[in-house]
Amino acid sequence: MAQSLNGGQEDGQTPGSFQILYEDNHLLGVVKPVNIPVQEDATGDADLLTLLKEDIKRRYDKPGNVYMGLVHRLDRPVGGAMVFAKTSKAASRLSESVRSRSFRKGYLTVVHGRLPAEHGRLRNILLKNAKTNTVTVVREGTPGGKEAILDYTVLGSTEGLSLVKVDLLTGRSHQIRVQLAHAGCPLYGDQKYGASVNKPGQQIALWSSLVGFPHPVTKQEVELISLPPRQYPWDLWSTELQERAIR
């Protein structure tokens, strides 16, 4: 059962309140609320990293600066499970897990249309434009292009939408959003890569449902699991189906 930090709501949607999924002396796993940046950006809005540092300082009455290592990221509009390192040693070992691909990242998403198969792998070369913060699929050999690979499973389809489980094998910027849009199935609510089929103001339906990794000290496998909020379009499918898919 997720422990609540700062009396956060169970859906994890209120900025400044969070669900704790896991905590010990080395790690802090939380549910990132939607529409909050992971770290400080040009908007100056409150960011998750700073808020968590402030909370640790307050809860444990820590003097001075609090260390909190950022190991992986989620796009600002995306919510779900994240892990942070509470020591530099844990941060270094988790970063090595990311490099060695023993750090697992699973997502649930709702897309427009249907993918060509129930199960599949998408491999593309992606190129990021830092000035516009957009990513495009490019030809192999394009300077600056990076390989992006994901596996997907279609869990169900209704009302022209599909619930899809995604396992990331690489961690490129906007990877899931770009690859699925390129496959003809843009994410529900994605204004950047699916503007032609989404309405302004719709919340993107992409959720970090699982983060798995060997504990940086004990080496035991840790799994952080989070389910999307029970609201449209997620509620077109049962909680039981989503939970079975994650596990």
Side-chain angles (χ1 to χ4, degrees):
M1 182 69 178
Q3 177 186 357
S4 183
L5 171 61
N6 286 345
Q9 295 179 357
E10 282 301 301
D11 63 4
Q13 298 299 296
T14 306
S17 64
F18 317 93
Q19 288 175 274
I20 296 180
L21 299 173
Y22 182 93
E23 184 173 19
D24 61 16
N25 291 333
H26 313 282
L27 305 173
L28 177 62
V30 302
V31 176
K32 174 192 173 296
V34 299
N35 299 325
I36 181 172
V38 170
Q39 60 186 140
E40 186 177 2
D41 62 15
T43 66
D45 294 341
D47 66 279
L48 184 58
L49 193 62
T50 299
L51 291 170
L52 291 177
K53 286 181 180 180
E54 291 173 351
D55 182 82
I56 291 289
K57 187 178 180 71
R58 180 171 56 252
R59 280 196 291 139
Y60 296 105
D61 195 24
K62 283 183 171 286
N65 293 327
V66 172
Y67 180 87
M68 188 69 68
L70 182 61
V71 180
H72 64 121
R73 292 171 171 79
L74 290 178
D75 293 346
R76 177 169 181 153
V78 179
M82 286 194 73
V83 63
F84 295 83
K86 294 170 73 173
T87 68
S88 57
K89 178 183 289 187
S92 175
R93 290 179 178 176
L94 284 177
S95 295
E96 178 55 36
S97 294
V98 173
R99 286 190 290 271
S100 66
R101 296 190 179 180
S102 58
F103 190 99
R104 297 177 292 118
K105 292 178 285 185
Y107 295 79
L108 290 174
T109 186
V110 178
V111 303
H112 291 273
R114 294 196 65 161
L115 287 152
E118 295 300 302
H119 306 275
R121 172 169 289 185
L122 300 180
R123 179 189 176 276
N124 301 104
I125 305 300
L126 304 185
L127 181 66
K128 182 173 182 177
N129 184 327
K131 290 183 178 179
T132 61
N133 192 31
T134 56
V135 177
T136 53
V137 175
V138 295
R139 292 182 179 179
E140 188 107 31
T142 299
K146 295 182 178 181
E147 184 180 51
I149 306 172
L150 63 78
D151 289 336
Y152 72 84
T153 301
V154 178
L155 303 174
S157 298
T158 186
E159 298 183 12
L161 301 172
S162 295
L163 177 66
V164 180
K165 176 189 175 186
V166 174
D167 294 308
L168 277 186
L169 302 182
T170 55
R172 308 305 181 196
S173 182
H174 298 181
Q175 178 178 339
I176 295 173
R177 300 162 67 182
V178 175
Q179 287 195 273
L180 289 176
H182 184 72
C185 294
L187 274 60
Y188 175 92
D190 191 349
Q191 310 300 322
K192 184 168 286 191
Y193 301 105
S196 63
V197 291
N198 290 309
K199 298 177 182 178
Q202 287 179 331
Q203 177 65 45
I204 190 171
L206 178 59
W207 196 262
S208 173
S209 54
L210 181 144
V211 176
F213 51 88
H215 191 283
V217 176
T218 68
K219 308 304 180 185
Q220 291 183 330
E221 188 69 15
V222 177
E223 284 191 344
L224 309 181
I225 292 174
S226 175
L227 289 174
R230 296 305 295 165
Q231 60 191 43
Y232 189 86
W234 298 110
D235 58 5
L236 291 172
W237 296 274
S238 70
T239 298
E240 291 73 23
L241 171 64
Q242 296 176 29
E243 191 163 12
R244 284 200 308 271
I246 294 170
R247 296 179 183 278

